Amino acid sequence: MFIAGLLLFSTSLLNVKPAPVFSDVYVGDQGPYRFLVDTGAQTSLIDPKLAAQLQLKPGFRIEVVTQNSTRLLPGMKINTLRIGQTRLHDVEIVFHELTQARRLDPAIMGVLGVNALAGLDFTLCPRDGKLELANQRPKGTVLPFIRIEDRIAIQARMGRETLTLILDSGATHIVLFHTPEAMAKSPALRTTFGTLEGARRSVPTCWTADMSFANTVKFGMLPAAIVSRPGAQADGLLPASLFKSVYVDQDRGEVVLVR
């Protein structure tokens, strides 16, 4: 089962601007094609028209689960994806329409999920809109990460609670799967929550209480959409755009947060 990443488009009440991360991806000798980098997604996506143009043939069907739907979609394993000179080996990729993702950039031809970056050290640079590979480990706040449904998750402290949050370069602001105790009295606004398959729903959005990482990186009030997911292994999604950069060290099982 694969859970597609989440995107929040309508945040006009909170004046939050998207800070997506992109990468230029080659398919064999063709390209580069612009891909959205979404570490909140377990699997990667490609535009069906581009797949047909490249004569890519699906080899199986994958159950894709989002907050609002479950669907079987065609997919394949591909070993010809490349970022610069770095080849991405045996990437499972789903043929999926990208209408909603193109609201971020009309040139998007695919989505790189966290599965495409398995085994690679990388840096998410939301302020520059870039994914960097094989760069030096920066100085910053170091945190261990765990894997939840193959995705990278780190812990934050809010009030008396420890929250486990999935690092998500595809979200515009924090998504929480329940309301933490420290936010219980925070007044809620309504915003529109959208997913890659085009489903949209109105959800409450509250201001967080103070939140800290390793007692050194601290945030005051931030907007957080409350999207109920009973039984979820994580407490929510953490947008990479909160940071200047996030370095992921796969060998050490650590992230380095740079403000």
Side-chain angles (χ1 to χ4, degrees):
M1 182 180 293
F2 296 86
I3 299 178
L6 306 174
L7 297 174
L8 297 174
F9 291 118
S10 178
T11 54
S12 57
L13 289 175
L14 303 171
N15 194 30
V16 177
K17 295 182 179 179
V21 175
F22 300 101
S23 183
D24 290 332
V25 177
Y26 291 85
V27 183
D29 295 328
Q30 304 297 310
Y33 304 104
R34 194 162 178 79
F35 275 52
L36 174 70
V37 179
D38 186 358
T39 57
Q42 287 174 282
T43 192
S44 299
L45 311 175
I46 191 169
D47 177 77
K49 293 181 180 177
L50 175 60
Q53 176 185 325
L54 296 172
Q55 299 183 348
L56 301 179
K57 304 295 184 183
F60 44 79
R61 297 180 74 82
I62 296 176
E63 184 181 46
V64 175
V65 181
T66 70
Q67 188 71 23
N68 295 284
S69 71
T70 299
R71 290 192 292 167
L72 284 174
L73 294 174
M76 66 177 296
K77 281 282 187 74
I78 185 169
N79 59 12
T80 59
L81 297 184
R82 178 168 52 87
I83 299 175
Q85 298 304 312
T86 302
R87 189 171 297 278
L88 311 179
H89 294 286
D90 293 329
V91 177
E92 195 161 54
I93 195 164
V94 176
F95 297 25
H96 194 298
E97 295 291 342
L98 301 170
T99 304
Q100 296 300 316
R102 287 187 178 126
R103 295 182 64 174
L104 296 173
D105 187 331
I108 289 174
M109 299 301 292
V111 175
L112 281 184
V114 72
N115 69 319
L117 302 172
L120 298 175
D121 295 342
F122 62 90
T123 302
L124 301 167
C125 304
R127 295 183 188 177
D128 298 326
K130 295 180 180 179
L131 169 73
E132 296 181 354
L133 300 180
N135 53 341
Q136 292 186 341
R137 181 182 168 112
K139 294 182 179 180
T141 298
V142 179
L143 284 173
F145 69 77
I146 61 174
R147 295 193 184 277
I148 295 179
E149 298 169 337
D150 297 326
R151 295 174 292 179
I152 294 164
I154 60 177
Q155 292 188 328
R157 190 74 180 173
M158 185 187 297
R160 294 182 296 180
E161 290 180 77
T162 297
L163 303 178
T164 300
L165 303 174
I166 292 169
L167 179 65
D168 191 342
S169 59
T172 56
H173 62 264
I174 294 170
V175 178
L176 295 175
F177 300 147
H178 63 88
T179 303
E181 178 185 353
M183 293 172 56
K185 296 182 180 180
S186 177
L189 303 172
R190 304 298 296 187
T191 57
T192 301
F193 174 85
T195 65
L196 278 173
E197 85 280 13
R200 304 179 73 78
R201 58 188 277 207
S202 179
V203 298
T205 299
C206 306
W207 297 101
T208 67
D210 292 347
M211 184 170 59
S212 64
F213 298 85
N215 295 319
T216 57
V217 176
K218 298 182 180 181
F219 293 94
M221 293 192 306
L222 296 169
I226 309 300
V227 180
S228 179
R229 261 191 70 189
Q233 297 179 47
D235 296 299
L237 307 176
L238 179 72
S241 57
L242 289 179
F243 308 95
K244 179 180 179 181
S245 67
V246 180
Y247 177 80
V248 176
D249 188 326
Q250 303 269 17
D251 289 336
R252 295 187 186 183
E254 296 174 338
V255 298
V256 182
L257 305 178
V258 180
R259 290 291 300 272

